[in-house]
Amino acid sequence: MSAILSLQSVSKSFGAVVVANDLDLTLGNGEALGMLGPNGAGKTSLFGIITGTLTPNAGKVLLDGRDITRLSSPQRCRLGIARSFQVPQPFGGMTVFENLVVAAAFAGGKRESEVYQIAATTLEECGLGDKANRLAGALTLLDRKRLELARALATRPRVLLLDEVAGGLSEGECEILVALIKNIRRTGISIIWIEHIVHALLAVVDRIVVLAGGAFIADDKPEAAIRHPRVAEIYMGISADE
Amino acid sequence: MIAAKVQDAFSFRVSHIDRSSRFGLVFWALLLILLAAAPFWGDRQTMRLLGEIYSYIALASLWNLLAGYAGLVSIGQQVFVGLGGYVLYVGALAGGLPPLLCVPLGGLLCGVLAVPVVLVLFRLRGAYFTIGTWVLAEVFVQVFQQVKAVGGGSGISLPAVVVKSIAQSRDGREFLIYWLFLALVVAVIGLIVTILRTRYGLALTAIRDNEMAAKSNGIDVNRTRLIVFVAAAFANGMAGALIFLQKLSITPFSAFSINDWTMNVIFITVIGGIGRVEGPILGAVIFFVLREFLADYGSAYLIVLGVIAIVVMLKARRGLWGYVADRYGWQLFPLARRLERTRIVPDAAAAAATIEAH
């Protein structure tokens, strides 16, 4: 599998807090990668480094082998990196449909009327067809999460970064979202998914990395990765030898 | 195809207009006819008041575009109002140009000046940007006080000969200036509505709602802001030239007055509804109604203004029009893009989906 996205020796710290310490990561073309790690490990910061909202202190970000470390976040979006935020960030005063039109038009560098089709189709795909003309700020949590996904998809991404899309949802709602992400996978979009709900991850991803203390402490097949002793320690609060 | 549902075909179209904006268009059209005819039904004082209201609606609409949409909270827009005014005086007196030609000239100079200004100020973020705009405005007051050619601190007046060159009779001048103010406000609002309906307006509205999300969806926020700032400076300059054409005299303090050209403007925008085109119009009406009834009470008037501003900011953070718009989804300008879809025969080819943009 050829790499679509890679991080090379990336380091980032905020004062004394190290969120990335000489990290390397490769995402294969079409791969779905899960990311686990305790709160504050730097998972979201890593997304910031990939999308260009954070500048790393050292290291490189490559997309298709091209160095994109110095590109701005709108430029990276246009190259095909899309992101859904952990706390949904809708354009609250715009309708759901308009939210998607923005994403499709600016990420694709297209005229508005050219993207109505993409926006309308993506809404249907994400189960928001009936809510097209609602104000995005007035949606329920599930629908905000759906919108977050739909808007990322409307940019026609090649790499999709999902930040805890299942967090805060009920079991049933979580299943709806997992089904949606499985479908996205089938279209060949490469995914990195940060999620604490492990069974949701297991249903979708090919590989899991575990980030702690600014380093990947595990990088393996999903079942193997979650059995890693440090993972149990981090998530259950029990040390490996107990 | 991602989900099964997509196999169904939809025919859809996108329309800007809905029932409330259709009502709005009729309302604005009737109002415009009524106001354009003001010289035939109003006395001189009414026309002066209306002209002043128009100039404030124009200024507030521009400030709303900057602060409400682009997130550029400037308290230095008086720079461009004052500069536009001075261009008119210098152009007419020293250059011997017809005053009405100096109005667009004032706008042009402000637009050009806005480019270097913005390149410096954009290095500052948020509150620092705001303070920066104020400092810049104070610099202009100080500089113009020192310039002997424009009368220094005591300013200059338009001589009768220049005033007469606009129109011979006093009525003719008053009518002309009235219509120019009306044309200005219609042009400013018309332009803002037109911009908001384009792709560029989508970017502005997205920035208004969520700057971080706008950036991560491919919008070049800084470039969008630069264009808005320059366009607003151009229009502010024209407004300033027109305002001081009516006033017949200009001093550095009246030209670059933060109270007149920024504080009142912010009050109008905030109580009317920031981030809505309708907001500044409603705000200006409220502001002038209050002023007409309370101005005689001196400081009590200012206290009432302050209390109203505080109550609105606490109870209706998006202003009075914002409150109504959020609650009932009203819009008096056809801005929203509504998706209207109808399911057609499920097995019909998806290719049958048609788009008609309106």
Side-chain angles (χ1 to χ4, degrees):
Chain A
M1 205 183 315
S2 62
I4 185 162
L5 180 81
S6 52
L7 300 181
Q8 291 180 352
S9 318
V10 165
S11 295
K12 176 75 186 173
S13 54
F14 299 99
V17 182
V18 178
V19 294
N21 185 12
D22 201 20
L23 277 185
D24 289 301
L25 180 69
T26 303
L27 178 70
N29 202 351
E31 187 183 21
L33 174 69
M35 196 183 293
L36 287 171
N39 289 324
K43 305 185 295 294
T44 300
S45 299
L46 221 50
F47 276 9
I49 289 169
I50 297 172
T51 55
T53 53
L54 285 179
T55 315
N57 303 123
K60 280 185 193 169
V61 183
L62 305 177
L63 182 71
D64 277 333
R66 176 185 168 192
D67 188 348
I68 59 165
T69 321
R70 297 192 162 274
L71 298 187
S72 70
S73 97
Q75 285 172 319
R76 294 188 205 195
C77 167
R78 279 175 234 136
L79 289 177
I81 300 179
R83 170 189 198 176
S84 85
F85 290 92
Q86 183 179 355
V87 177
Q89 302 286 341
F91 302 124
M94 304 174 88
T95 66
V96 170
F97 175 66
E98 287 171 327
N99 268 261
L100 267 66
V101 172
V102 168
F106 287 92
K110 293 195 175 80
R111 289 155 54 123
E112 209 191 307
S113 56
E114 292 173 335
V115 303
Y116 287 154
Q117 176 94 54
I118 300 174
T121 316
T122 312
L123 275 186
E124 294 300 331
E125 287 166 0
C126 295
L128 286 168
D130 300 332
K131 289 153 188 150
N133 297 322
R134 297 260 185 95
L135 282 185
L139 295 177
T140 61
L141 180 64
L142 174 64
D143 285 337
R144 280 173 190 236
K145 298 252 177 186
R146 277 175 163 157
L147 173 59
E148 199 64 23
L149 252 180
R151 200 177 53 187
L153 282 178
T155 66
R156 292 281 163 105
R158 302 172 59 218
V159 176
L160 178 61
L161 308 175
L162 302 172
D163 198 347
E164 297 197 29
V165 277
L169 296 181
S170 72
E171 192 57 32
E173 290 172 336
C174 185
E175 276 172 28
I176 295 173
L177 233 82
V178 166
L180 193 56
I181 295 170
K182 276 184 173 168
N183 283 328
I184 294 169
R185 261 222 72 178
R186 275 187 217 120
T187 63
I189 297 173
S190 315
I191 296 174
I192 304 181
W193 184 6
I194 296 174
E195 191 56 76
H196 284 305
I197 302 170
V198 177
H199 69 83
L201 269 191
L202 290 181
V204 177
V205 300
D206 309 308
R207 180 165 67 110
I208 288 181
V209 290
V210 182
L211 184 67
F216 290 120
I217 55 166
D219 179 349
D220 216 328
K221 292 269 173 236
E223 284 73 16
I226 58 165
R227 273 194 220 97
H228 191 282
R230 286 287 303 279
V231 175
E233 187 182 340
I234 287 160
Y235 276 87
M236 305 299 176
I238 46 174
S239 71
D241 48 12
E242 268 177 63
Chain B
M1 288 296 136
I2 288 181
K5 262 185 145 180
V6 185
Q7 310 297 326
D8 301 350
F10 289 93
S11 99
F12 55 86
R13 54 187 224 119
V14 177
S15 82
H16 282 289
I17 209 155
D18 62 2
R19 192 139 48 113
S20 63
S21 58
R22 200 167 286 136
F23 164 81
L25 285 181
V26 174
F27 172 76
W28 297 125
L30 292 176
L31 188 67
L32 187 60
I33 293 168
L34 181 74
L35 293 176
F40 305 105
W41 54 261
D43 55 16
R44 189 169 279 164
Q45 208 183 345
T46 311
M47 276 169 47
R48 284 201 154 222
L49 178 65
L50 284 174
E52 200 183 354
I53 295 177
Y54 302 157
S55 66
Y56 270 101
I57 293 177
L59 292 178
S61 295
L62 292 168
W63 193 79
N64 185 37
L65 189 66
L66 285 175
Y69 283 92
L72 292 170
V73 182
S74 164
I75 52 172
Q77 292 312 102
Q78 64 271 24
V79 164
F80 303 113
V81 175
L83 213 60
Y86 270 108
V87 168
L88 180 102
Y89 281 65
V90 171
L93 292 177
L97 298 168
L100 292 185
L101 178 71
C102 295
V103 174
L105 221 57
L108 210 61
L109 185 92
C110 288
V112 171
L113 183 83
V115 177
V117 161
V118 99
L119 290 179
V120 175
L121 288 178
F122 273 13
R123 292 171 167 273
L124 306 170
R125 296 254 151 244
Y128 297 96
F129 171 84
T130 304
I131 302 294
T133 57
W134 187 16
V135 170
L136 178 80
E138 289 306 305
V139 168
F140 274 80
V141 180
Q142 301 304 328
V143 168
F144 271 79
Q145 270 184 280
Q146 306 305 322
V147 180
K148 291 277 186 305
V150 292
S154 44
I156 32 174
S157 305
L158 271 191
V161 76
V162 174
V163 176
K164 288 231 167 69
S165 76
I166 305 168
Q168 274 304 319
S169 71
R170 182 166 173 195
D171 271 352
R173 281 197 299 279
E174 299 258 345
F175 288 1
L176 189 61
I177 289 178
Y178 173 83
W179 279 320
L180 284 175
F181 272 127
L182 186 62
L184 176 79
V185 74
V186 170
V188 164
I189 292 175
L191 205 70
I192 290 174
V193 169
T194 311
I195 287 174
L196 289 178
R197 285 175 60 135
T198 63
R199 183 174 186 275
Y200 185 70
L202 267 181
L204 272 176
T205 317
I207 294 169
R208 171 194 75 181
D209 284 353
N210 196 321
E211 186 181 336
M212 179 173 62
K215 280 184 186 160
S216 78
N217 281 286
I219 295 172
D220 191 335
V221 173
N222 265 349
R223 189 169 147 264
T224 311
R225 285 185 165 155
L226 179 111
I227 299 170
V228 166
F229 194 87
V230 171
F234 174 79
N236 266 331
M238 297 236 301
L242 214 50
I243 287 168
F244 285 96
L245 175 63
Q246 192 201 32
K247 287 190 186 296
L248 301 179
S249 73
I250 191 166
T251 70
F253 295 101
S254 65
F256 303 108
S257 163
I258 188 169
N259 277 331
D260 289 349
W261 315 129
T262 296
M263 289 309 154
N264 288 344
V265 162
I266 293 177
F267 177 85
I268 287 169
T269 313
V270 168
I271 60 164
I274 191 164
R276 307 270 170 190
V277 181
E278 297 90 342
I281 304 172
L282 179 65
V285 171
I286 294 170
F287 176 77
F288 279 92
V289 166
L290 288 173
R291 200 185 76 175
E292 291 304 300
F293 285 104
L294 297 174
D296 295 339
Y297 297 99
S299 55
Y301 159 62
L302 292 175
I303 292 170
V304 171
L305 282 192
V307 169
I308 290 176
I310 290 167
V311 169
V312 169
M313 279 189 262
L314 288 176
K315 297 287 173 193
R317 293 197 55 193
R318 285 174 166 272
L320 295 173
W321 186 263
Y323 181 79
V324 171
D326 284 345
R327 209 180 162 109
Y328 304 106
W330 290 356
Q331 51 163 4
L332 290 180
F333 292 102
L335 290 174
R337 295 158 178 84
R338 298 184 64 79
L339 180 69
E340 292 162 6
R341 49 178 207 140
T342 40
R343 195 178 290 258
I344 53 178
V345 200
D347 57 355
T354 51
I355 313 167
E356 292 171 52
H358 286 260

